[in-house]
Amino acid sequence: MAKKRKPPNIKGDPRTFDPDFKGPVVNRSCTDVLCFIIFILFIIGYIILGLIAWVHGDPRRVAYPTDSQGHFCGQKGTPNENKSILFYFNLFSCTSPSVMVNLQCPTTQICVSKCPEKFLTYVETQLLYKNDKTSWTYYSQFCKSPFPKSDRSLSQILMDDDCPAAIFPSKPFLQRCFPDFSTKNGTLTVGNKTMFEDGKGKTRNAGELRAAANRINKILDAKSLGMRLFEDYATTWYWILMGLIIAMLLSWIFLILLRFTAGFLFWVFMSGVVGVIGYGIWHCYKEYNNLRGRQNSHFTIYDIGIQTDISMYLQLRQTWFAFMIILCILEALVILTLIFLRNRIRISIALLKEGSKAIRYVPTTLIYPVLTFTFLSICICYWAVTAVYLATSGLPIYKIIAPAGQCKHENKTCDPEIFNTTEISKACPGAQCIFAFYGGKSVYHQYIPTLQIFNLFVFLWLINFVFALGQCTLAGAFASYYWASKKPEDIPPYPLFTAFGRAIRYHTGSLAFGSLILALIQMFRIVLEYLDKRLKESQNNISKFLQCCLKCCFWCLEKAVKFLNRNAYVMIAIYGKNFCRSARDAFNLLIRNVLKVAVMDKVTDFVLILGKMLVTGCIGVLAFLLFTERLPILIEGPSLNYYWVPLLTVVIGSYLVAHGFFSVYAMCIDTLFICFCEDLERNDGSTEKPYFIAPTLHGILNKKQLVPQKQKE
């Protein structure tokens, strides 16, 4: 009679004892070769894309301002070589609604050698021409082409769009002429004037010009701010560097001392949580008791209904009674959790301490974030440069822009050489044929948006691959530590470099597979964000709700995939299997130890957050005392315009440094936890099947008499 087959376990079958298993498998083969080939092909395509973009693109189109004819201002070897500044004919037209749509001011823009330094109108130059020809000579340099004399009428000049109606005192900034705004006795002025002629018969004030150039004025304000910030950075750069070095040392010391302080920090924090909730219960009872006998305090929340004044609810005894009940339930849940999960919490704390010990024995892992940062910098720079070259590929494209924004021909392409002779200029008075962007009609130019999407997708893939490579490398190094029979004697030499070599040589395909899944999810999230921005005005409540649901779902999916990938990379580092099998084994292992996973995850998160806050807070306080010159006895602080500039730089930099160190520690804990769970399934603590776990964990586990691995010999 045939034996009944055992139904498969939904949690997977646990590992069995293997006397030959001594940690990360040495004899392994390449995994996910197909994905590796696809990944290499994408990288080759990415390199080819960069070369093509480099051939067709011209980053000078970003560096140099471009006039209405599409010519660069200040470019060597061109007629504009000595004209490096862009000048706007009519700045008042920049208030047109089309500016926000087309990102272009609907007025003629030319290249000039310097900005206007005084008020002057075209009509004034005509009146002064007979007695003072220097006014016209000065004025004509802001026209499209020089004229021998100002004998043409204002209407003819404006129709031909050859000269501006008026010029105002301006200053160059970002290679563009911006109005020279200033404040005199609390009044806004332009060139020390509050009122001036616009050249078309209207009297304007500085406020109108400021409204027309509001964004430009913000940039002008940012100029002085930027100079002051630069001065502060130039004064304090060595203090900032010293602060980051101290943050690095503090992070390293914190990780080393965790083997002694992890349990203390956790239980002190939990005691504080229990104490705070207890105080909340006492306070609610006190308020509940004080309201006894007061008028209207016996009303219920149902009686007063919905009120915008929250304080009305606080005058009811029922409100404080409800708060007290909620806090009592919360307090009971916290205490019961600590009681019933105390052993798992103790195991988590012991693993945290073991993680600190592992980093001490494999200190080179703390250097790995520098390599990750280098790879990320290369990827970001390549993506940014490629995107700029793609965006500047092609020939100048001109479009019709009307100041009123009501021309039916607006946004259509045009030819600036013949535009004034066409019917469009007559049908839309004031319309301009202005340079818009660079493009073309070739196949390459038509697919530039698609190539930009490809550039972004491969960038996301590479970024996720860099993170995956780091996680797999660190996992391999820490797994070598865990599965060593005698620590540190049996730890392989150069475990970090060995793990890095194995990951690159055998598992590039598996790492590319996991990072590809993440890149696809992130790309879809970016598409959702893009559609949300473009369709924001035309959406109804139902579509907004569905889009919010999609965003939430894909955010959760990304977090779940990141968690699963992280543990899959640990299994790849240990056993050398392909991505899908490793992810399945990791998932089944975590499901079989789901309570340990939950406790371990929260305890680790708490310790890491506390460590980051501690390092950042210490450096932040020291930097605050130094930059505000409150340590004159110990050290004289620098004199600054804005002390918060270097202070924020030090605080953010310290947090990033601490995050880099603690990301190594987090990967260490995850690896040790996976190895720990595998160890419990493989072995039973007997002399024949001893554990590899540290002696500090022996007394916590409620198993057989545990025998360390080294006693087996």
Side-chain angles (χ1 to χ4, degrees):
M1 184 176 179
K3 294 182 179 180
K4 291 184 178 179
R5 295 185 62 183
K6 185 179 179 181
N9 189 351
I10 59 173
K11 297 182 180 180
D13 297 323
R15 302 275 183 182
T16 57
F17 174 71
D18 182 2
D20 298 325
F21 182 75
K22 300 295 182 183
V25 176
V26 176
N27 297 323
R28 54 180 74 195
S29 58
C30 296
T31 56
D32 295 303
V33 178
L34 178 61
C35 194
F36 168 76
I37 295 173
I38 295 174
F39 183 59
I40 295 300
L41 290 177
F42 265 78
I43 291 179
I44 294 173
Y46 199 32
I47 295 173
I48 294 174
L49 172 63
L51 294 175
I52 294 175
W54 182 75
V55 171
H56 290 84
D58 191 350
R60 294 175 301 176
R61 295 166 180 171
V62 177
Y64 295 101
T66 309
D67 64 11
S68 298
Q69 304 299 315
H71 302 143
F72 298 133
C73 296
Q75 183 182 357
K76 293 183 179 180
T78 65
N80 292 330
E81 181 176 358
N82 297 321
K83 299 178 180 180
S84 59
I85 307 172
L86 191 68
F87 173 72
Y88 298 89
F89 269 24
N90 182 15
L91 205 58
F92 290 104
S93 63
C94 295
T95 57
S96 168
S98 63
V99 174
M100 295 303 296
V101 177
N102 302 301
L103 300 177
Q104 186 70 267
C105 185
T107 185
T108 301
Q109 302 159 33
I110 64 171
C111 300
V112 295
S113 57
K114 63 178 182 178
C115 294
E117 299 173 347
K118 57 184 178 181
F119 289 100
L120 198 61
T121 65
Y122 180 77
V123 176
E124 288 177 352
T125 60
Q126 286 184 311
L127 297 176
L128 297 173
Y129 183 76
K130 292 183 180 180
N131 301 323
D132 184 12
K133 296 183 179 180
T134 57
S135 297
W136 170 248
T137 303
Y138 179 81
Y139 192 89
S140 63
Q141 65 182 320
F142 302 106
C143 297
K144 282 185 177 179
S145 57
F147 295 95
K149 57 182 181 178
S150 57
D151 55 353
R152 300 162 64 183
S153 65
L154 175 63
S155 59
Q156 187 178 1
I157 283 288
L158 296 178
M159 182 177 295
D160 294 339
D161 201 31
D162 288 329
C163 294
I167 57 176
F168 317 109
S170 305
K171 286 186 177 181
F173 180 59
L174 297 177
Q175 295 181 279
R176 288 162 176 80
C177 291
F178 293 154
D180 184 13
F181 289 113
S182 61
T183 304
K184 187 176 182 180
N185 297 326
T187 303
L188 183 68
T189 63
V190 177
N192 295 322
K193 283 188 177 182
T194 57
M195 307 293 292
F196 50 87
E197 297 290 332
D198 68 352
K200 297 181 180 180
K202 292 183 180 180
T203 301
R204 304 274 191 167
N205 58 49
E208 292 181 78
L209 187 58
R210 178 168 185 149
N214 187 36
R215 295 180 183 84
I216 300 176
N217 191 53
K218 288 182 180 179
I219 296 176
L220 285 173
D221 293 338
K223 179 184 177 182
S224 60
L225 177 63
M227 291 299 296
R228 293 173 186 172
L229 296 182
F230 179 78
E231 291 174 0
D232 289 343
Y233 278 122
T235 305
T236 60
W237 67 268
Y238 53 91
W239 291 111
I240 295 173
L241 181 61
M242 191 177 299
L244 297 181
I245 293 174
I246 296 174
M248 182 178 65
L249 295 176
L250 280 179
S251 301
W252 182 76
I253 293 172
F254 184 85
L255 292 179
I256 296 301
L257 293 180
L258 269 180
R259 59 183 302 196
F260 306 108
T261 60
F264 173 77
L265 291 175
F266 177 80
W267 290 115
V268 167
F269 176 78
M270 293 311 301
S271 299
V273 171
V274 172
V276 168
I277 298 176
Y279 172 78
I281 295 172
W282 174 81
H283 180 74
C284 292
Y285 174 77
K286 182 180 177 182
E287 292 292 335
Y288 173 79
N289 197 44
N290 290 339
L291 288 175
R292 182 176 297 172
R294 288 192 184 182
Q295 186 179 5
N296 299 330
S297 65
H298 63 282
F299 287 165
T300 64
I301 297 175
Y302 179 79
D303 292 333
I304 65 173
I306 299 175
Q307 301 291 333
T308 56
D309 187 4
I310 303 298
S311 61
M312 293 185 63
Y313 295 104
L314 301 180
Q315 306 301 320
L316 305 179
R317 298 183 71 207
Q318 187 186 60
T319 301
W320 292 105
F321 183 76
F323 285 160
M324 184 172 62
I325 294 299
I326 293 172
L327 289 177
C328 286
I329 295 173
L330 184 61
E331 180 88 321
L333 288 175
V334 172
I335 293 175
L336 290 174
T337 301
L338 293 176
I339 291 173
F340 288 104
L341 297 180
R342 64 187 183 278
N343 281 335
R344 290 183 173 86
I345 293 174
R346 290 173 64 197
I347 293 173
S348 300
I349 293 173
L351 282 174
L352 290 176
K353 296 178 179 179
E354 192 67 16
S356 175
K357 189 177 176 182
I359 288 178
R360 189 182 64 163
Y361 285 138
V362 194
T364 51
T365 54
L366 294 178
I367 307 175
Y368 194 84
V370 177
L371 185 61
T372 299
F373 177 77
T374 304
F375 287 155
L376 291 178
S377 300
I378 293 172
C379 293
I380 293 172
C381 291
Y382 188 87
W383 166 77
V385 170
T386 303
V388 169
Y389 272 90
L390 283 174
T392 56
S393 297
L395 302 173
I397 299 297
Y398 303 89
K399 287 197 172 186
I400 299 170
I401 298 178
Q406 297 178 347
C407 177
K408 65 179 181 179
H409 301 287
E410 191 169 17
N411 280 329
K412 290 183 179 179
T413 56
C414 57
D415 185 351
E417 300 293 335
I418 60 172
F419 177 74
N420 290 333
T421 62
T422 62
E423 296 295 328
I424 299 176
S425 61
K426 299 177 182 178
C428 303
Q432 302 280 337
C433 181
I434 291 179
F435 166 77
F437 55 87
Y438 291 95
K441 296 183 179 180
S442 67
V443 176
Y444 169 75
H445 296 115
Q446 291 176 359
Y447 282 94
I448 283 180
T450 305
L451 296 177
Q452 287 283 23
I453 294 174
F454 177 79
N455 181 31
L456 177 61
F457 173 73
V458 180
F459 166 71
L460 293 175
W461 195 355
L462 288 174
I463 289 293
N464 286 298
F465 178 81
V466 169
F467 285 122
L469 177 61
Q471 291 169 356
C472 189
T473 300
L474 292 172
F478 291 123
S480 299
Y481 162 82
Y482 184 93
W483 297 107
S485 301
K486 296 180 181 179
K487 302 175 178 64
E489 291 84 358
D490 291 341
I491 299 177
Y494 311 112
L496 181 68
F497 300 106
T498 303
F500 181 80
R502 278 199 301 258
I504 290 291
R505 180 179 179 183
Y506 297 109
H507 307 302
T508 299
S510 298
L511 301 180
F513 193 1
S515 54
L516 172 63
I517 297 172
L518 266 179
L520 290 171
I521 296 173
Q522 292 167 349
M523 195 69 189
F524 195 86
R525 290 188 64 195
I526 292 174
V527 171
L528 284 178
E529 291 292 339
Y530 175 77
L531 292 177
D532 184 39
K533 298 293 183 184
R534 293 298 300 268
L535 306 176
K536 202 165 190 177
E537 300 298 329
S538 60
Q539 288 179 338
N540 54 35
N541 292 332
I542 296 177
S543 62
K544 288 181 179 179
F545 172 75
L546 293 176
Q547 198 162 35
C548 286
C549 291
L550 281 175
K551 287 181 181 180
C552 180
C553 291
F554 275 90
W555 180 84
C556 295
L557 179 61
E558 182 180 353
K559 294 296 181 183
V561 171
K562 280 184 177 180
F563 177 77
L564 185 60
N565 281 8
R566 189 183 182 91
N567 291 283
Y569 299 146
V570 177
M571 302 298 279
I572 290 173
I574 297 174
Y575 296 105
K577 303 299 181 182
N578 61 49
F579 175 80
C580 290
R581 182 171 176 180
S582 298
R584 183 199 64 187
D585 292 343
F587 179 77
N588 290 335
L589 181 65
L590 296 176
I591 289 296
R592 293 195 296 269
N593 299 271
V594 64
L595 282 179
K596 291 189 183 75
V597 172
V599 175
M600 187 72 216
D601 189 51
K602 297 307 172 187
V603 173
T604 304
D605 287 345
F606 157 72
V607 173
L608 294 182
I609 291 173
L610 188 63
K612 293 175 187 177
M613 291 174 58
L614 183 63
V615 172
T616 306
C618 290
I619 300 299
V621 170
L622 290 176
F624 175 78
L625 295 175
L626 175 65
F627 295 141
T628 55
E629 300 182 85
R630 300 190 183 188
L631 293 173
I633 300 176
L634 299 177
I635 189 171
E636 184 178 353
S639 180
L640 302 172
N641 297 305
Y642 306 103
Y643 73 87
W644 51 267
V645 175
L647 176 61
L648 284 179
T649 304
V650 169
V651 170
I652 295 174
S654 300
Y655 177 82
L656 293 177
V657 169
H659 178 74
F661 273 82
F662 293 153
S663 65
V664 174
Y665 181 72
M667 197 65 216
C668 175
I669 297 302
D670 288 345
T671 303
L672 295 182
F673 180 72
I674 291 289
C675 294
F676 171 70
C677 294
E678 287 274 310
D679 195 8
L680 293 184
E681 292 185 351
R682 285 179 173 276
N683 308 301
D684 58 10
S686 63
T687 307
E688 294 77 16
K689 301 178 182 179
Y691 286 123
F692 284 82
I693 56 179
T696 53
L697 283 165
H698 290 181
I700 298 175
L701 292 174
N702 187 19
K703 298 279 185 179
K704 296 181 182 180
Q705 178 63 35
L706 303 181
V707 179
Q709 180 70 16
K710 62 183 180 180
Q711 292 185 13
K712 180 180 178 181
E713 301 177 358

